[in-house]
Amino acid sequence: MSNIEYTTKEMQKRVDQYISQFKEGYFSPLSLMARLTEETGELAREINHYYGEKPKKKTEKENTVEEELGDLLFVLACFANSLNIDLGESFHTAMTKFETRDKNRWTKISQQDGEQE
């Protein structure tokens, strides 16, 4: 795989450029939710094949967790674009919530020697 890095804005822009070339445009929020669920299921299937007890059939196409995560990112960017939501702002809001709400929930690793506090 390549070492290309994208900001959330760049991802959303690239997805928009791709979708904008088609008359159909973005799917409705309900359809995008179904697509997100579908892609999540495909990721779950890959996780189960690699880390679970259910091996792939010999006839099944070889996918990777990385590919399925990419598919999820694509659908999330479609979802955000269709609703005019900035994924960067959404991520910032979510991280602020977790950093505030859960800041003392877990055992922290000490900065000095890697020991838990």
Side-chain angles (χ1 to χ4, degrees):
M1 289 280 164
S2 62
N3 272 346
I4 298 172
E5 294 182 16
Y6 288 97
T7 66
T8 54
K9 282 194 184 314
E10 290 168 336
M11 284 192 299
Q12 285 187 257
K13 182 179 179 181
R14 185 166 178 190
V15 167
D16 193 58
Q17 288 171 338
Y18 173 75
I19 295 294
S20 294
Q21 66 183 324
F22 304 109
K23 288 181 183 180
E24 294 81 3
Y26 290 103
F27 293 158
S28 70
L30 187 58
S31 291
L32 286 168
M33 189 67 229
R35 288 279 328 275
L36 191 60
T37 302
E38 176 187 348
E39 295 299 344
T40 301
E42 290 177 13
L43 175 62
R45 185 173 175 84
E46 288 302 307
I47 295 292
N48 194 26
H49 289 316
Y50 286 101
Y51 305 104
E53 289 73 36
K54 185 181 174 194
K56 278 194 174 205
K57 297 175 189 172
K58 292 184 186 338
T59 57
E60 287 183 286
K61 179 182 177 261
E62 191 66 32
N63 289 340
T64 65
V65 171
E66 185 176 13
E67 286 177 47
E68 298 304 336
L69 285 171
D71 290 350
L72 273 171
L73 284 171
F74 174 80
V75 176
L76 282 172
C78 286
F79 217 144
N81 287 352
S82 74
L83 298 173
N84 294 314
I85 293 171
D86 182 310
L87 282 175
E89 288 179 22
S90 293
F91 177 76
H92 173 73
T93 300
M95 283 307 300
T96 300
K97 174 181 68 176
F98 291 125
E99 290 165 345
T100 303
R101 182 187 70 195
D102 296 338
K103 70 179 180 178
N104 295 316
R105 185 174 185 180
W106 311 106
T107 306
K108 292 190 178 180
I109 298 172
S110 147
Q111 296 296 324
Q112 290 178 325
D113 52 12
E115 290 183 18
Q116 295 179 351
E117 291 180 352

